[in-house]
Amino acid sequence: MKPPPLKDDCFALPPGVAWTPVDDALARLRDRLHAVTAVETVPLANAAGRYLAEDVVAQRSNPPTPNSAVDGYGFAAASVGEGVQIMPLVAGRSAAGEPLPGAVPEGHAVRILTGAVLPEGVDTVVLQEDVTVEDGRIAFRGPVKPRANTRKAGEDVAAGDVVLGQGARLRPAEIAILAATGVHSVPVRAPLRVGVLSTGDEIRAVGDDALPHQIWDANRPMLLSLLASWGCRAVDLGHVSDDRAALAERLNDGAGEVDVILTSGGASAGDEDHVSGLLSETGTMELWRIAIKPGRPLALGLWKGVPVLGLPGNPVAAFVCTLVFGGPALRLLAGGGWRTPVALTVPAAFSKKKKPGRREYLRARLDNTGAAEVFGSEGSGRISGLAWADGLVELPDGAADIGPGDPVRYIPFASFGSS
Ligand code: AMP
Ligand code: MG
C-alpha cells in the first residue's frame, strides 16, 4: 500500500518573497508534505522505532483484573472498623499467576502477594509490615481506606481504548504498553529511505587520496549517521562532480531507490550550482532563500516525484539546515507527524549583538551551571565547532543584544529529528 505522491507544487513559495523567514519555510513544509512510506503490519518485536500507521486499540484492559499492589493480607473493607482488628486467615493464598480458587468469607482475610488477583470477597489489602500474624489469624489497626493497596481492572488502560494514536513513535515505553494490552502486531510505516548525495569537483570520498585543492567529503558520512540516528534507512548515493549529466543520472538512480534525497553543495545560484540548476531545468524546483544563518539557499524540488532537499555545501550549514528543516520534514514524510523540537530557556554564558533580518543558530553547549556557552567562531566551515557543541542556541529573527545571564533558547541536538 503506497500513499499518493506529493504534488508538483509542494515546495512553491508565495511570489515576491525575497527572504523567507524560517517559520514560514517550516509552515510550508508542514502544509505541503505528508507521509510517503508504505504501511505494513509487523510483529511487536520488530516494531521498535517505527511510526504507527493507524490508531491502535487495547485488546485487553491493563490490568485485566483487580489485583494487589503489595505483599500483604486482603479482606472486605466493609468488615473493618476502628481500632485493633483481628481476623482469621483462610487456607491458601493468592499469588501472582496463582489465584485463590475460592472466595473469602466476610470477616476473614487471605494472604495475598503483589500482582495477585483479588479473590471474591476481597477489595482491600493491608501491607504485611502493618500486620502481626499468629495462630492463623492476623491483627492490624483500623480504620482502612476501602480499596487501599489494590489496583482496579483497567485503571491504566481499558480494553477498547485507543492506547496509542496514529503517528506515535514506538519507543521502549510504547512497546511496553502495547505488549501489556495484548497487541502483538502493529500497522506501521516502512522506514523512510533517505538517499544522501554529495556534489562538488573538490570533494573526495573518505579514504581516497586528496590533493591540496581537494577536500574529504564530510557531509555524506555526517548526514548518513544523523539519518540513521533518526531511524531512517540512510542510503549512500555517493558523490558526483559538478556535472549536470552525472548528477541527473545519479538522481535518476536515487529516485528509484529512496523516498527522499538529501544533496549537499551546489544549491545556490552560482555557475557550478548544478543541483539548483538541474532541478529548475528538469524537475520542479524552488530555490528557497531562507533568512537563516548558517544556511540561506535551500533548493527544494521533486525529481521523478521524489522530494529533493538541496542543502548548502558548508558542513555546518548543511548540518543546521538538516536539523532545522530536515528533522521535522523527514518525520512528516516518515509518517510521524510534525514535531517542533523542544527548546530550553537557559541563561546565556556569552555576549552577542545581532541585526534584524534573519534567524541565527549558534553552536552551543551547557556549562556546569546550566548556562549556554557558544563556540568561539561562527565560521560555517568550522566543523570542529559542531563536534564541540551539544546543541544550538536559536536567536530570534529580529535584532538581539544578549549579555551573560540573559535568557536564550537552547535546543539540544537530540531534540531535532524523530523521537
Ligand atoms: P557549495 O555549496 O557547493 O558552494 O559549497 C560550499 C562550501 O562547502 C565549499 O567550501 C565546499 O568545498 C564545501 N563543501 C561542499 N560539499 C562538501 C562536503 N561534502 N564536505 C565538506 N565540505 C563540503
Ligand atoms: Mg560545490
Side-chain angles (χ1 to χ4, degrees), residues 198-200 202-203 215-220 242 264-268 272-273 311-315 383:
S198 291
T199 71
E202 75 282 30
I203 306 299
I215 60 171
W216 283 294
D217 188 346
N219 290 342
R220 198 152 42 102
D242 290 315
S264 68
S268 327
E272 296 297 337
D273 287 322
L311 299 161
N314 266 311
I383 309 174

Side-chain angles (χ1 to χ4, degrees), residues 275-317:
V275 173
S276 47
L278 193 62
L279 283 174
S280 48
E281 248 175 44
T282 28
T284 40
M285 131 94 188
E286 289 289 328
L287 189 64
W288 285 26
R289 296 168 74 225
I290 300 172
I292 182 174
K293 183 187 169 188
R296 299 231 216 172
L298 205 56
L300 294 175
L302 291 181
W303 186 268
K304 307 220 142 129
V306 172
V308 178
L309 188 59
L311 299 161
N314 266 311
V316 175

